Amino acid sequence: MPYTYNTPAQQEEMLQSIGANSIDELFDLIPDSVKLGRPLNIPPALGEIALTAHMQELARQNTNITDNTCFLGAGSYDHFVPAVIDTLASRGEFYTSYTPYQPEVSQGNLQVMFEYQTLICQLTGMDVSNASLYDGGSAAVEAMLMAINITRRTSRVIVLESVHPEYRQIIKTYFATIGTEVVSVSDKSQLLDALDETTAAVLIQSPNFFGNLEDVATIAEQVHTVGALLVCSVDPISLGLLKRPGDAGVDIVVAEGQSLGTPLLYGGPYLGIMACREEFVRRLPGRIAGQTVDQDGKRCWVLTLQTREQHIRREKATSNICTNQGLFALRAAIYLSVMGPQGMQDVASLCLQKAHYAQRQLTNLERFETLNDQPFFKEFVIRDKQNDVAGLLEKAEDFNMLAGVALGRWYPQLQDCLLIAVTEKRTVREIDQLVEILGS
Amino acid sequence: MRNKHATQLIFELSTTGRSGVVLPECDVPVEDIKQLIPASLLQSQRPALPEVTEPEVIRHFTNLSTLNMSVDTHYYPLGSCTMKYNPKRNERIAAWDGFAQLHPYQSEGSLQGILQLLCDLQQMLAEISGLPAVSLQPAAGAHGELAALMVAAAYFSELGEKRTKVLAPDSAHGTNPASARMAGFDFITIRSQADGRVDLEHLKENLGDDTAVFMITNPSTLGLFDDQVEMIAELVHNTGGLIYLDGANMNAILGITRPGDFGADMMHFNPHKTFSGPHGGGGPGAGPICVTETLRPYLPSPAVSFCEETQTYYLDQGSEKSIGRVRSFFGNVGVLVRAYCYIRTHGPDGLKRVSETAVLNANYLLSLVKEFLEVPHGDRCMHEFVASAMPVREATGLKQPAMDIAKRLLDYGFHPPTVYFPLTVAEGMMMEPTETESKQTLDAFAETLRAIVEQSAETLHNAPHTTGIRRPDEVMAARQPIVKWTKTAD
C-alpha cells in the first residue's frame, strides 16, 4: 500500500474509537450475498521500479512524434508547446485542486478561468466564453443543442459534410436519441436549398476538415435570413491571421483547443472551446467564472450563473456537464499569454507559408494533384493518381515520417487522397524530405 | 510565499511591444499572404491579446497557483469528490513521449503499446465492476451517464419498447436528472426513507412498463450502502427496466462487492476519483462505462480488441447497433494511462485495501465528529458520511451554519467538506477523508471542527477572517455578470 499511512497500531486505535472489532465489520452494511468473496482477477501489484520498467516497455511499442516527423492533423496538431506551460501546469496547487466551490481558497483557479474566458473572446471576437468543455467534438454538439434551446426549433439542424467526420458522428449519436433530424449537405448551394424556417442551426467548420477556408460571413447572412443560428468550428491557431468569427457574424464559436499548448496525448484529454454572443450567455453550458467584490470591496472571482447548471437545476439544466477541462484551459491561457499578438501572428504565418510550400512542391510532382483550388490554411489534400495511399504511408513510416491522414475511411470517394498538415515546427528540410519520399 | 504585489490580471501587466516567445524565421520561400488568402477572409489587425514576457508569465501564474488549496498542500475532505493523493510516478509516466506524443491517427501498428494498455484497462474495469463490456470513450462521469442512457435508449428501441422514464432517488447527483433529460427521457425523483435508503413503496408506485432506467448511487451520496439493492434490481428488472449504477463512490467497494453482482446493468467509473487521476482544478476526468453482455452491441465505438490470429491490438469499430461516437478520437487517454498505473500499482489486494482504509478513515472521522455534530444516518458509513450542522443552528441561531463552519475551516487551513449536498440533509456537511490521510490529520481536523462549533455566532458568521478575500458577493456576480476583462479608459 504505497499511499496510505496508518500503522496496524493506529488502525487498532481507530477501530476502538469506532467501536468495531475489525475492518471487515465496517462492511456489514453490504449483504453477504453480493460480496465478492475472492480476490479480484487483475495482475499483481507492481512497485515503482517495476511499474516504471513495465510502462517503458509499453511506451517503446509506440511510435512517438518526437522521434518521427509528423504531418498528421485532422483535428489534432503537432504545434510547439513552450516549456513554461509544463512548468506551470505541473504545479500541484493547480493540478491537484478541484472545482472552485470555495472561492476564498480557489482564487488562483477562478482568475485563470476568467483570464481564459477573456483570452478566448479576444481571439475569437465573441462576447462571452465559458470556462471550457471536454473537446472540440462535444463542444460542437453542445453548441447545436444550445441553438435548439435558443431558437426553440427542435425538428432539424444542418451540418456541412466538410465538418470533422468524428464531430458529425457525435452529433448523429446525440441527436438520434432526442429525435432531431440532422441534415447533411455537401456545399453552399445545397445548404441554401436545405435552409428553412424550421432549421435551428447550421454547423460549419473553417478551416474545414480538408483545410479549406469557408466564406463564413456570407454563410452567416444566409443562415440568419431564416432565423437560424450559425455555429462555426474554428482552428484557434488560424486566428493569428484570419478574420475572427465574431466579426463574420457567427453566433456560437466552438474549437478544439489542443493546439493551444497541449501535446497530442493520443487524442485526449483536450480542450473544448465555446464562445457566443452576449444575449445567449444564460444558455451556455458549462462553468463560467465572473468578477465580483468581496465583503471588504476587493475585486475577486466566483463561479457564476450557476442556475444554468445541473447541481442546481437538475433536469432543467442547460447541460449535464459538471466540470470544465480546468488544467487544459490553464494551458491555453498560458499559451495565449506567452504568445501574445505577435506570437500568434507569427505562428499562423509560419503554418500558412510552410503548408503552401509543401503543397506546391508535392503538386509539382507528376504523381499528385490538388483536390480543389480553394484557399487553405495549414492543411491540404493531395490526390494520388496511382491510388496507393496505404503504400505511400507505409513507405514514409520506413523513413520515420508520418506523412498524412488517409481520407478513405470517412469519404469513400476520396480513398486516393491524403490530408497533410504542416505546422510551424516543420522545417524546410523535413518538407523536402517528405516530397522526396512520396515522390520516389 | 504569496507575493502581495501580484494582484493584477495578465491583461493589466501588458506593455505594447513585449512578447514571451520568439519564433524561428521562415525557412521556406515566403509568398505574399494576400496571394494565398482572399483579403475578405483576413483579419485587419493582430488579435488583441496581452503582451507580456516569459518571466512575467511565470511569476503571474505561479502566484495565482499559491491562491489555491490543493491535495498536495492541504487536507481536502470534499465529499463525493474523492480528493485522494495523486501519485507523482503516474504524472511522470503519462508525460513520456511514448504516451504523450502519439497522434490519434497513427497506424495501429505504430500504437501497439498504448492499445495494449487500453485493452488491458478495459479488462480490469470489467473485472472490478463485474460487467463484462467496456467503453473507455466518455470524457467524464456525467458524459458516461449520458452515453449509458443512450445505450439503454438504443436497446429499448431495438426491442420495440417505448420506455420514456428514468428514475433516481432524491439524493442523486444533479448530473443524473440532467443526463436523463439530455438522452431524451422524462425524469422522476424517487424519495429516500428517513434512514437514507430508497423508499421502496415510492419506487414501486413509479415503476411500470414505461420505466427505462433506475439510476442508483450505491454506496449513496449519504455514504450508505443500500442493502435493498438486490430487491430494487429485481423490482426494476421485473418491469423490463435497467439498473444504472453511478460509480462516483466506487472508492468504498473495490474488491469487496461489484455492481454487476448486485444487479447493475450499466455503470460508469470516475477514474480521476477512484483511480487517482488529478482533478486539475476542475478537469479533465474520464468516464468509462461498463455494461452487461446483452448491452455490449450498443456501446459507443470504437473499443480496443486483440486479434489472436495476428497477435495485434486494433480499434474495433463495433457492431451496427452501436450508438456511435460520443467523443472525438479515443477519449481522455491521458487520464486512463494514470488509472492503469494506479491499478497496476495496487493489484488485487492493494485495491481492496484502498477501500478498507477509506472506509476505516471515514468511520473513524465519523466517530469523532458525532460527538459534536449530528450525523443523521447512523454510526456507521462507507467511504464518506454526511453530518448536519443543525445543532449549531439551534445553539447559535445562525441561518446557514454549515456555510459558516465551512468558511471558518478555511482560517485553520482545511478545505471544507461539501456543503448543502445531498439536498436531503438539512445543513449537510459531506466528509470524505479518503485512504491517503493519516490518523494525525483526521484528529487535527476533528479537533479543529470541535473548536469551531463552540465559537460564537459572530465569529462563525464573519469567517473567514484570514484569507485574502472573504465571502465574495455571488448575487452581484450573477445579477450583473462580468465574465471577461475589458479595457477601461486610462
Side-chain angles (χ1 to χ4, degrees):
Chain A
M1 281 294 284
Y3 313 125
T4 57
Y5 305 93
N6 296 323
T7 62
Q10 284 179 318
Q11 294 197 0
E12 209 44 56
E13 281 176 58
M14 293 164 82
L15 284 169
Q16 271 177 24
S17 171
I18 297 164
N21 293 315
S22 66
I23 291 179
D24 277 351
E25 195 189 308
L26 302 176
F27 291 91
D28 281 353
L29 283 166
I30 302 176
D32 285 338
S33 52
V34 301
K35 280 197 178 141
L36 183 59
R38 62 164 175 84
L40 285 168
N41 183 19
I42 58 173
L46 298 175
E48 184 167 356
I49 294 171
L51 176 78
T52 305
H54 167 68
M55 295 303 285
Q56 274 167 343
E57 185 56 35
L58 287 176
R60 266 198 290 272
Q61 292 170 51
N62 299 320
T63 299
N64 70 64
I65 57 132
T66 307
D67 300 336
N68 293 264
T69 309
C70 181
F71 289 95
L72 306 179
S76 173
Y77 300 95
D78 179 23
H79 285 289
F80 171 63
V81 179
V84 288
I85 296 178
D86 285 333
T87 301
L88 290 167
S90 57
R91 286 187 67 88
E93 299 94 325
F94 279 132
Y95 83 86
T96 75
S97 60
Y98 196 36
T99 303
Y101 293 118
Q102 297 290 340
E104 288 91 343
V105 292
S106 312
Q107 283 299 298
N109 284 336
L110 284 161
Q111 188 175 328
V112 168
M113 286 164 75
F114 185 80
E115 292 182 355
Y116 164 85
Q117 290 163 196
T118 306
L119 291 160
I120 294 300
C121 290
Q122 292 174 337
L123 191 66
T124 60
M126 301 304 286
D127 300 325
V128 288
S129 163
N130 69 10
S132 76
L133 299 170
Y134 306 136
D135 71 320
S138 52
V141 73
E142 289 281 351
M144 297 301 267
L145 293 169
M146 179 177 155
I148 288 175
N149 283 334
I150 292 167
T151 59
R152 300 187 179 275
R153 297 176 180 181
T154 54
S155 60
R156 69 202 293 261
V157 295
I158 300 174
V159 179
L160 252 71
E161 277 171 18
S162 52
V163 170
H164 196 301
E166 293 193 354
Y167 296 8
R168 288 186 287 127
Q169 287 166 1
I170 297 167
I171 288 168
K172 205 174 134 204
T173 303
Y174 274 61
F175 283 48
T177 313
I178 58 173
T180 298
E181 186 193 3
V182 182
V183 180
S184 197
V185 296
S186 62
D187 56 30
K188 245 193 299 182
S189 73
Q190 275 196 15
L191 170 62
L192 269 185
D193 293 342
L195 267 177
D196 67 15
E197 309 277 331
T198 68
T199 307
V202 174
L203 173 64
I204 65 169
Q205 179 178 329
S206 185
N208 67 25
F209 186 67
F210 309 110
N212 296 125
L213 307 184
E214 303 282 1
D215 185 359
V216 180
T218 310
I219 295 175
E221 271 177 41
Q222 289 160 349
V223 169
H224 290 154
T225 55
V226 297
L229 300 184
L230 181 63
V231 180
C232 183
S233 177
V234 300
D235 172 356
I237 295 292
S238 73
L239 300 178
L241 280 180
L242 300 182
K243 183 181 263 188
R244 304 185 304 176
D247 300 332
V250 173
D251 298 292
I252 308 171
V253 170
V254 293
E256 175 50 71
Q258 175 267 332
S259 293
L260 305 177
T262 291
L264 296 172
L265 304 174
Y266 189 51
Y270 282 176
L271 175 72
I273 291 172
M274 182 186 264
C276 68
R277 300 208 317 239
E278 179 92 54
E279 62 201 276
F280 306 142
V281 62
R282 285 171 201 275
R283 301 280 184 175
L284 263 179
R287 302 279 193 223
I288 300 175
Q291 182 177 314
T292 188
V293 293
D294 81 343
Q295 61 182 23
D296 304 318
K298 280 190 210 163
R299 179 174 72 170
C300 60
W301 290 274
V302 292
L303 289 177
T304 195
L305 303 174
Q306 294 192 71
T307 49
R308 301 163 296 116
E309 291 189 66
Q310 49 77 29
H311 61 288
I312 312 272
R313 293 279 280 175
R314 298 176 81 82
E315 64 268 32
K316 295 194 181 72
T318 53
S319 167
N320 69 337
I321 285 183
C322 200
T323 53
N324 62 338
Q325 298 280 291
L327 198 61
F328 293 81
L330 169 70
R331 295 184 76 100
I334 300 166
Y335 181 86
L336 291 170
S337 301
V338 84
M339 296 301 277
Q342 190 61 48
M344 287 307 286
Q345 192 179 47
D346 290 350
V347 167
S349 304
L350 285 168
C351 291
L352 180 83
Q353 295 291 348
K354 289 177 184 224
H356 282 78
Y357 173 74
Q359 194 248 19
R360 282 195 303 274
Q361 297 301 100
L362 281 166
T363 52
N364 277 343
L365 299 172
E366 184 53 34
R367 184 167 176 172
F368 303 111
E369 60 184 6
T370 53
L371 196 64
N372 60 50
D373 52 8
Q374 288 167 30
F376 65 94
F377 173 54
K378 70 179 181 197
E379 206 165 13
F380 58 90
V381 177
I382 54 168
R383 172 170 271 139
D384 174 21
K385 293 178 192 164
Q386 294 176 23
N387 191 9
D388 183 23
V389 166
L392 284 172
L393 291 179
E394 227 168 274
K395 185 164 64 174
E397 260 191 57
D398 290 342
F399 291 91
N400 294 334
M401 198 154 270
L402 307 170
V405 176
L407 291 179
R409 74 168 100 171
W410 300 293
Y411 303 91
Q413 74 277 20
L414 302 180
Q415 42 98 18
D416 52 354
C417 289
L418 209 51
L419 180 65
I420 295 173
V422 188
T423 70
E424 76 283 6
K425 281 175 75 177
R426 299 290 73 83
T427 61
V428 68
R429 202 180 57 81
E430 289 170 337
I431 296 169
D432 289 344
Q433 205 188 348
L434 175 77
V435 174
E436 194 187 320
I437 292 165
L438 295 187
S440 67
Chain B
M1 188 184 197
R2 166 76 174 159
N3 176 346
K4 284 182 193 156
H5 304 287
T7 57
Q8 289 137 312
L9 286 159
I10 192 83
F11 315 102
E12 294 160 344
L13 298 169
S14 180
T15 305
T16 306
R18 279 188 189 157
S19 175
V21 68
V22 178
L23 286 145
E25 289 293 314
C26 191
D27 58 2
V28 301
V30 175
E31 302 275 313
D32 179 4
I33 289 180
K34 294 204 174 66
Q35 297 300 312
L36 305 178
I37 308 267
S40 64
L41 301 181
L42 287 172
Q43 211 177 122
S44 50
Q45 53 197 13
R46 301 181 313 176
L49 298 166
E51 297 178 66
V52 287
T53 62
E54 178 172 330
E56 285 174 308
V57 167
I58 286 285
R59 191 167 288 165
H60 174 74
F61 286 100
T62 303
N63 274 303
L64 282 185
S65 78
T66 65
L67 302 181
N68 291 337
M69 278 192 176
S70 69
V71 174
D72 277 1
T73 53
H74 293 82
Y75 177 50
Y76 210 125
L78 192 65
S80 211
C81 298
T82 315
M83 302 300 290
K84 62 169 81 174
Y85 172 69
N86 304 126
K88 304 310 159 196
R89 65 189 71 165
N90 302 354
E91 292 306 305
R92 186 172 68 167
I93 288 168
W96 286 346
D97 286 354
F99 297 116
Q101 300 293 347
L102 308 178
H103 192 283
Y105 294 137
Q106 284 179 222
S107 66
E108 286 168 3
S110 73
L111 294 164
Q112 286 298 298
I114 188 74
L115 292 177
Q116 181 184 335
L117 181 154
L118 294 169
C119 192
D120 289 351
L121 182 62
Q122 286 173 181
Q123 281 179 20
M124 293 189 284
L125 295 182
E127 168 66 7
I128 294 166
S129 66
L131 291 164
V134 181
S135 170
L136 299 176
Q137 204 177 99
H143 203 214
E145 289 173 15
L146 177 59
L149 291 173
M150 289 173 174
V151 165
Y155 166 71
F156 290 124
S157 161
E158 174 89 8
L159 293 181
E161 294 181 10
K162 185 107 184 97
R163 291 177 179 267
T164 54
K165 288 181 181 155
V166 168
L167 288 55
D170 47 15
S171 58
H173 296 107
T175 52
N176 290 188
S179 299
R181 287 290 296 158
M182 278 183 85
F185 292 104
D186 296 327
F187 182 79
I188 311 282
T189 303
I190 302 299
R191 282 194 298 269
S192 302
Q193 299 171 169
D195 63 8
R197 300 185 303 169
V198 173
D199 182 335
L200 286 185
E201 288 312 310
H202 196 227
L203 174 63
K204 281 182 202 161
E205 281 167 32
N206 283 282
L207 284 177
D209 55 11
D210 59 355
T211 303
V213 180
F214 180 62
M215 302 178 84
I216 182 168
T217 310
N218 200 25
S220 70
T221 57
L222 295 164
L224 301 172
F225 192 91
D226 194 326
D227 58 2
Q228 314 169 108
V229 67
E230 286 173 291
M231 203 186 306
I232 291 169
E234 199 183 327
L235 284 171
V236 173
H237 288 151
N238 284 344
T239 68
L242 299 170
I243 296 281
Y244 183 84
L245 186 279
D246 180 330
N249 296 335
M250 285 302 289
N251 212 44
I253 58 171
L254 298 170
I256 290 160
T257 179
R258 308 190 304 172
D261 296 342
F262 59 71
D265 302 287
M266 318 184 277
M267 71 166 291
H268 76 261
F269 279 97
N270 297 102
H272 48 291
K273 300 180 189 174
T274 314
F275 305 128
S276 194
H279 284 60
I289 54 175
C290 306
V291 301
T292 58
E293 204 55 62
T294 311
L295 296 172
R296 182 194 292 270
Y298 307 94
L299 279 178
S301 58
V304 182
S305 293
F306 182 66
C307 175
E308 291 291 344
E309 200 182 319
T310 58
Q311 293 287 300
T312 51
Y313 296 89
Y314 67 100
L315 289 177
D316 186 340
Q317 297 305 321
S319 84
E320 282 178 13
K321 295 176 184 172
S322 163
I323 60 165
R325 282 191 168 276
V326 295
R327 192 197 179 282
S328 57
F329 311 120
F330 200 81
N332 284 355
V333 176
V335 179
L336 301 172
V337 169
R338 290 167 174 83
Y340 176 88
C341 289
Y342 184 84
I343 296 172
R344 292 303 311 265
T345 299
H346 286 82
D349 298 338
L351 280 191
K352 190 175 177 198
R353 229 168 299 149
V354 162
S355 289
E356 288 173 344
T357 312
V359 170
L360 176 66
N361 279 1
N363 277 283
Y364 176 63
L365 186 62
L366 190 160
S367 74
L368 304 177
V369 166
K370 73 178 182 194
E371 299 292 322
F372 49 86
L373 285 177
E374 194 181 314
V375 183
H377 295 98
D379 287 351
R380 293 286 167 86
C381 65
M382 298 296 287
H383 64 302
E384 67 187 0
F385 64 93
V386 184
S388 168
M390 282 307 275
V392 180
R393 170 137 82 179
E394 281 145 29
T396 61
L398 286 166
K399 285 198 184 105
Q400 291 195 301
M403 176 66 78
D404 297 329
I405 293 169
K407 295 299 181 196
R408 188 70 179 124
L409 275 166
L410 301 175
D411 286 329
Y412 292 88
F414 289 113
H415 195 286
T418 300
V419 288
Y420 301 101
F421 182 81
L423 312 173
T424 50
V425 179
E427 296 303 316
M429 307 187 75
M430 186 187 209
M431 307 187 193
E432 181 180 12
T434 84
E435 74 280 8
T436 58
E437 295 299 335
S438 67
K439 179 174 176 294
Q440 287 92 328
T441 300
L442 302 181
D443 287 339
F445 176 73
E447 273 315 304
T448 302
L449 203 51
R450 180 199 297 272
I452 286 173
V453 301
E454 284 164 9
Q455 290 174 353
S456 73
E458 197 191 352
T459 303
L460 295 184
H461 194 60
N462 291 329
H465 301 268
T466 58
T467 48
I469 59 141
R470 312 187 302 127
R471 302 228 188 191
D473 187 342
E474 298 191 6
V475 175
M476 182 177 109
R479 213 166 269 166
Q480 297 161 306
I482 304 173
V483 296
K484 68 174 178 190
W485 174 84
T486 38
K487 194 176 172 134
T488 48
D490 297 322

